[in-house]
């Protein structure tokens, strides 16, 4: 390796460290957004919800800055093969993080609508449990990225099935509540939205974990990314309410 | 410009044409997926729905191939400034198209559940109208990309507000149906999902149009990308069903 190559290489490494520090910062903000959004829903804390909504701007700004920085590094350093893969994966990961931030913001927005209704049978608690799982998955996915740990990343991908399972159970529960008490319909519709949002966070985290596998192995992990949202085809969810 | 530069430049242009042909092909498949998914829902055509579900694999495969190709071009040609911007935007656009394909697939999946219930007051027709608008937006966004037409792209961004409006109206309608006839609750939940999916397609198309503005002008179009899903905070949607 010539001195010149060594020089270029270490400059790239320095750039990459900066980018990775930004991704971790962004990930930390998103973890907090998930946690606070779920907590504001359970404790009916509108102030905390407002904080989550306002905090999303910082997440969006980090995405823009990460993308600009990644483009700058590509143009300036012309990274090849696995280095290029790392930089490109950062752009995708930041897009996923930004989406999770949006979903947290949407969840927080519904807190102020839901406080207008009586709580629905512990649903907020179930949602918070689901959110906690998702938050753990995100933490592990980011750890897997920093440690280039494909095994941990694959574990995260597997755990998305549990989130889907939690969602399916909640969907069924909400349908039952609505049938039992039509006055709960509007609140249940909002709760259902939130459940679906958390389930989608799981999908984005899975996609981050897939990027980790891609960065480490150079290969896209096995799809099928077939969704386990069974509400779309499992007859159990049809509930036959009109005797069909 | 030296002969060498000219040579490199034209090789890049050739690569770019190939990439753009692939993006247009992908866009065409996604347009068809939206149209067929909405039609299968309205005409209760399970066979067509199955076709949409099966067709999603081709869209996913195109995304992978586009990403690999874009990475290859970056590594091989080291494009700078606006050329780099174009290649990076293709990667983002293909991610958006892939998500729209997924949403169409999800919509098609629900067709077979919904055929188990009696139709709900022309909702399928409203959904198809909404889907048709979204399909037009996508077509225009892709045209704007090929023609580097920032004005058309901005027009697409503006039109997303109409989709949000259609969604808000439908949300309110579905709530009314559910309250009037609890036996329609399950079907309405599925219809609501589909409406939300179409509304999210609009968001992804907006994001494609934003990429076009970015490619043409080098600047990110003005956020706020504040969502006009008013169901999350407009008190009108609370419907005060329990006299609170």
């Amino acid at each position: 390796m010539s001195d010149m190559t060594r020089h270029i290489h270490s400059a790239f490494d320095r750039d990459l460290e900066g980018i990775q520090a930004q991704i971790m910062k962004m990930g930390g903000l998103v973890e907090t957004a998930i946690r606070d959004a779920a907590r504001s829903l359970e404790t009916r804390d509108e102030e905390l919800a407002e904080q989550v909504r306002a905090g999303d701007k910082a997440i969006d700004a980090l995405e823009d800055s990460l993308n600009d920085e990644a483009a700058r590094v590509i143009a300036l350093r012309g990274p090849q093969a696995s280095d290029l893969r790392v930089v490109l994966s950062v752009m995708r990961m930041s897009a996923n993080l930004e989406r999770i931030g949006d979903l947290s913001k949407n969840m927080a927005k519904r807190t102020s609508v839901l406080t207008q209704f009586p709580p629905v049978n512990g649903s907020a608690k179930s949602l918070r449990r689901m959110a906690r799982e998702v938050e753990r998955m995100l933490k592990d996915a980011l750890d897997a990225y920093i440690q280039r740990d494909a095994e941990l990343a694959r574990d995260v991908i597997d755990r998305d099935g549990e989130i889907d399972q939690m969602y399916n159970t909640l969907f069924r529960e909400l349908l039952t509540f609505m049938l039992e008490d039509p006055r709960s319909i509007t609140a249940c519709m909002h709760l259902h939205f939130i459940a679906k949002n958390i389930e989608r966070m799981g999908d984005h985290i899975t996609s981050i974990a897939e990027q980790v596998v891609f960065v480490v192995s150079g290969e896209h992990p096995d799809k099928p990314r077939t969704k386990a949202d069974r509400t779309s085809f499992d007859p159990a969810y049809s509930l036959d309410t009109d005797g069909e």
Side-chain angles (χ1 to χ4, degrees), chain A:
Chain A
M1 192 193 270
S2 74
D3 271 3
M4 187 60 192
T5 326
R6 211 186 331 263
H7 174 71
I8 290 172
H9 188 245
S10 74
F12 174 78
D13 284 347
R14 228 172 17 246
D15 286 342
L16 191 60
E17 270 166 34
I19 287 180
Q20 296 198 146
Q22 272 198 299
I23 258 282
M24 293 315 280
K25 186 176 166 194
M26 193 177 172
L29 290 181
V30 171
E31 279 174 39
T32 306
I34 300 172
R35 184 167 51 245
D36 287 350
R39 195 160 48 141
S40 79
L41 181 72
E42 196 188 357
T43 60
R44 308 191 141 223
D45 184 340
E46 297 197 38
E47 212 167 305
L48 186 58
E50 176 51 40
Q51 212 172 294
V52 175
R53 290 167 65 170
D56 193 52
K57 283 198 193 67
I59 295 172
D60 288 350
L62 267 171
E63 192 208 3
D64 285 346
S65 125
L66 260 165
N67 276 318
D68 292 347
E69 179 63 11
R72 196 188 65 82
V73 170
I74 291 173
L76 199 66
R77 314 283 178 212
Q80 296 285 315
S82 74
D83 285 344
L84 178 59
R85 215 154 58 211
V86 172
V87 180
L88 293 176
S89 74
V90 163
M91 300 178 92
R92 298 228 213 149
M93 285 171 56
S94 72
N96 285 121
L97 287 174
E98 191 267 343
R99 290 299 300 143
I100 301 172
D102 267 3
L103 292 167
S104 305
K105 185 179 70 177
N106 288 349
M107 174 158 46
K109 273 189 196 167
R110 287 184 196 271
T111 291
S112 36
V113 176
L114 280 163
T115 50
Q116 299 168 39
F117 299 94
V120 179
N121 285 23
S123 302
K125 197 166 262 166
S126 303
L127 287 171
R128 190 167 170 197
R129 206 161 35 234
M130 213 174 142
R132 203 174 293 137
E133 270 313 301
V134 160
E135 196 196 320
R136 274 195 207 117
M137 278 172 65
L138 177 56
K139 200 189 157 305
D140 287 346
L142 293 170
D143 283 352
Y145 177 71
I146 288 301
Q147 292 154 24
R148 303 286 188 264
D149 184 342
E151 202 173 331
L152 182 55
R154 284 207 186 84
D155 179 57
V156 170
I157 296 171
D158 287 344
R159 273 148 63 194
D160 192 40
E162 286 164 42
I163 303 296
D164 292 340
Q165 188 56 47
M166 287 167 116
Y167 164 75
N168 288 332
T169 306
L170 204 71
F171 177 84
R172 198 197 294 245
E173 248 180 46
L174 289 171
L175 274 186
T176 317
F177 295 152
M178 288 160 100
L179 288 167
E180 279 168 5
D181 180 6
R183 287 169 308 170
S184 74
I185 286 179
T186 311
C188 284
M189 290 279 274
H190 288 293
L191 290 165
H192 177 222
F193 249 135
I194 295 175
K196 190 70 193 169
N197 274 2
I198 301 177
E199 190 252 5
R200 281 167 56 205
M201 290 180 193
D203 293 344
H204 284 289
I205 296 167
T206 300
S207 164
I208 291 176
E210 285 173 350
Q211 288 301 311
V212 175
V213 176
F214 178 63
V215 163
V216 177
S217 70
E219 279 174 23
H220 298 286
D222 280 348
K223 310 200 167 176
R225 246 168 66 197
T226 28
K227 287 302 309 133
D229 173 357
R230 293 165 60 235
T231 65
S232 57
F233 49 86
D234 189 326
Y237 296 99
S238 311
L239 288 185
D240 273 336
T241 49
D242 31 28
E244 290 244 317

